[in-house]
Structure formats: C-alpha cells, structure tokens
C-alpha cells in the first residue's frame, strides 16, 4: 500500500474507488504482496527445498488458495471443511497434511478416501481410530505423530501450543510408546514426526530449542522418519517497530539438524504467507464524543475482524485520504456490535476525521475473514484480490436473506 497524491493505493488501485464500487466493509488482498511472500519464504529455506503446506485456517478463501497452489504449495488442514476447501482449490492431495487434536471418524474416513500425504495424529486413541478405519477399507495409511516438545514459543499465551500444559501433541514418553506401537501395526505406516509450538513467533531461539529436543528424541527413538513437519508460526511485523523473525538463524538451525537426520522438512506457514497481503477497508458511520471518551464508530466490527477482541491484537490503521491535519483528541475506533470488546484500537494524534471518511486496518490477511462470524446477523464482507490495476471479486458479500 502506498499514498499517491495523498490518496492510498493497493498496487495500482485507488482505495477510495473500491469503496465507491463495492461498498464497505471489504477485505482487499494484494497479489503482488502474496507472490513476494511466497518467493521469499521459499528463498529462505531453498537449500533443503521443504514441502510448504499453507495453513488453510489462516485464510480459507478458495480463490486465494488457488493462487497460492499455483506456486506449488500444499496445504495444512484441520477439519473436513478445510480439506474440502484445499481440494476445491486444486491442491495436490499428496501435498496435504491433516493436523488437529480432535479429528472425528468421518473426518479420518474422508481424509483416507482422498489419499492425502499424512494424517498427523495427536493421541493413542486417534491412532487406534485411524487404524480401525484403515483396516475396514483394507488400506495402509501414512501417519505422523505430533510431539509436544515442551518448548516455550515466547509468544502470546493464547497462541502458544508447544508447552506441556497445552492440549496439543503427545509427551516424550507417549511418543516412544506410539513409535513402538506403530512399528507393529498392519494398517498404519509411521512416516512423520510433527511439531507446532505456536503462532506469531518473532524470536528464532524457541525454534532452535525445539530442534534440539527433536534431535535428542529422534536419536533416542532410533526410528527413521521420512518427514519432519516443523509446523508454522513464523511471525510478521504488525507494528512499525516490531522486530522481524531471523529466518537466516532458523535456516541455519534446521541445516544443522539435517546433518544428523536425512528427512524431508515440511512447513505449515499461514500468517507469514498471507498476513500482510490483506487490508480491511471501513467507513466511519458516526463520531461520538462522550464526556470521558471519543469514539469513531466504524461499519466494520469484531465479527469482521476478531483479533483485537480475542487477543488484544493491534492492527495499524491508516486514513484513505491524507489531509495533513492532526486531531488533538484521542479516539477509540469501535464497531457497531453490542459488546464492549468490539473495539479495534485507540489512537492519539491521528488525522482529524469526519463521518463517512474511510480508514483501512492493515495486515488482516491471516485470521481475518477466517475468524469472522455472523454475530448480530451481520453478513460477511466482500473479498477482492488486486493484481496491478485489476480487481477480482474472490468472495461476494453474504446476502442477508442467506442468513435469515
Ligand atoms: N500448523 C498448526 C498445527 C497450527 O495450529 C497453526 C496455527 C499453523 C500451522 C499456522 O500457524 P501460523 O504460521 O499462521 O502462525 N488466531 C490466531 C492464530 C492461531 C494459530 C493457530 N494455529 C491469531 O489470529 O493470531
């Protein structure tokens, strides 16, 4: 995004024109940014050419995933719905991994029928269920076991998944038991060790620690894993001053690990692929100045973008037209929903705003629409993909009659 003559653009498209043509709120993605992210991600790890499985949960738009798939990426899915989305987008089943702590029998059955690369199991009971279903279909299924490496990802508590108090994966002892169990099974073939320690990770050291744990455990298990799935979690800069994940250091740690283990690395990135590709464009409905606080009431709300209400996340907010006039007041940017947590940010010395002005919230490409809901019977917004001067509607705004 950039300002040209004080007007904000995404690639060659004037954001003001988007609002006129498609109305607000609306999610806008930049193809150029998406392409750049994928190319950079690949470049960072090119010496061992990993299989990159895009974490569908971060953005479930079929048309966007189609574009991602064209760069050769696979998919990480966590439900039957996500698996259907990935297949619909044309993702090669042999590049799909299925994660999650609670896969149901019908989900496992569907995944087996679709011949995906791996089902990453997270408990003994799940392995037994995969075995039972595989046996009934007369098949041998490739699986992974998700290890809980008890590694602190040094990120928000709500999005940490690799500590022993978290529900994810199995502990070291169970892991060894399950490796031994799998060796004897007739219907499963253990191919992968998987981990995922958390999301929005900006420090490479937790990854380094996690790899040391894996190294030790694999040596101790004396088992040859065809794949090591390191999960996703690579963080992005939401604030201007946010530090960046040192990919070089992470890459070095993996290369060191691979000297002892001849396995194919799988990644499951979500946020780092799509996070900064998306912006949420919104119009100011009203401005209300109460005795204690001043409110900018937007037409976007927590149902459209849940991250601030759920995690206290902050998304950079920009005016669509720059006026150069700064307000002396502090404003809280809120949505129209009947919840006090329906607020996005509080800004001091922001540009002076008036009703009907447009603003954008940045970096909402990951866990934006995918976390959205129909709370207050609010239709989900339009989604558009911008390529140069071209605008493709990749999802239409929901119609009220579809919700009622
Ligand atoms: N693999 C597994 C098994 C995961 O659980 C996740 C994310 C990913 C991969 C992708 O992680 P990423 O590369 O996107 O960090 N709603 C939260 C994020 C929750 C992440 C859940 N798991 C947010 O809005 O920040």
């Amino acid at each position: 995004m950039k300002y040209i003559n004080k007007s904000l653009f995404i690639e060659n498209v004037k954001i003001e024109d988007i609002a006129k043509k498609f109305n607000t709120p609306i999610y806008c993605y930049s193809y150029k940014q998406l392409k750049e992210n994928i190319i950079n991600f690949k470049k960072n790890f090119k010496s061992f050419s990993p299989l990159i499985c895009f974490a569908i949960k971060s953005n479930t738009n079929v048309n966007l995933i189609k574009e991602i798939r064209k760069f050769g990426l696979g998919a990480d899915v966590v439900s039957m719905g996500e698996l259907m989305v990935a297949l619909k987008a044309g993702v090669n089943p042999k590049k799909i991994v299925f994660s999650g702590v609670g896969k149901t029998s019908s989900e496992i059955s569907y995944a087996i029928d679709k011949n995906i690369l791996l089902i990453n199991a997270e408990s003994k009971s799940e392995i037994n269920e995969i075995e039972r279903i595989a046996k009934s279909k007369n098949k041998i299924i490739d699986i992974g076991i998700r290890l809980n490496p008890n590694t602190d990802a040094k990120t928000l508590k709500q999005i940490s998944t690799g500590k022993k108090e978290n529900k994810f994966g199995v502990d070291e002892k169970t892991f060894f038991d399950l490796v031994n169990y799998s060796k004897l099974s007739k219907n499963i073939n253990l191919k992968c060790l998987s981990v995922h320690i958390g999301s929005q990770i900006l420090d490479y050291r937790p990854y380094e620690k996690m790899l040391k744990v894996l190294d030790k455990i694999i040596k101790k298990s004396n088992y040859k894993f065809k794949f090591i799935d390191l999960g996703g979690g690579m963080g992005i800069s939401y604030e201007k001053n946010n530090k960046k994940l040192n990919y070089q250091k992470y890459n070095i740690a993996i290369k060191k690990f691979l000297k002892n283990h001849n396995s194919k690395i799988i990644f499951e990135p979500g946020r780092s692929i799509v996070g900064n590709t998306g912006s949420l464009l919104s119009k100011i409905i009203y401005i209300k100045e109460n005795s204690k606080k001043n409110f900018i009431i937007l037409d976007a709300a927590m149902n459209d973008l849940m991250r601030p209400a759920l995690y206290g996340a902050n998304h950079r907010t920009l005016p669509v037209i720059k006026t150069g006039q700064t307000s002396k007041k502090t404003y809280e940017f809120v949505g129209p929903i009947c919840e006090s947590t329906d607020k996005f940010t509080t800004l001091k010395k922001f540009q002076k705003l008036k009703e009907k002005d447009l603003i954008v919230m940045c970096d909402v490409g990951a866990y934006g629409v995918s976390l959205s809901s129909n709370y207050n019977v609010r239709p989900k917004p339009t989604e558009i993909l911008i390529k140069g001067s071209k605008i493709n509607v990749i999802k239409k705004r929901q119609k009220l009659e579809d919700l009622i």
Side-chain angles (χ1 to χ4, degrees), residues 55 57 76 146 196 199 233 268-271 307 311 367 371:
K57 65 166 79 67
D76 160 52
R146 178 162 172 185
H196 172 77
S199 196
E268 301 170 355
R271 193 188 315 266
R307 299 192 72 254
Y311 311 110
Y367 309 106
L371 267 175

Side-chain angles (χ1 to χ4, degrees), residues 43-54:
K43 218 190 265 168
N44 286 325
F45 302 109
K46 74 166 183 294
S47 66
F48 53 89
S49 45
L51 171 62
I52 306 168
C53 295
F54 172 64

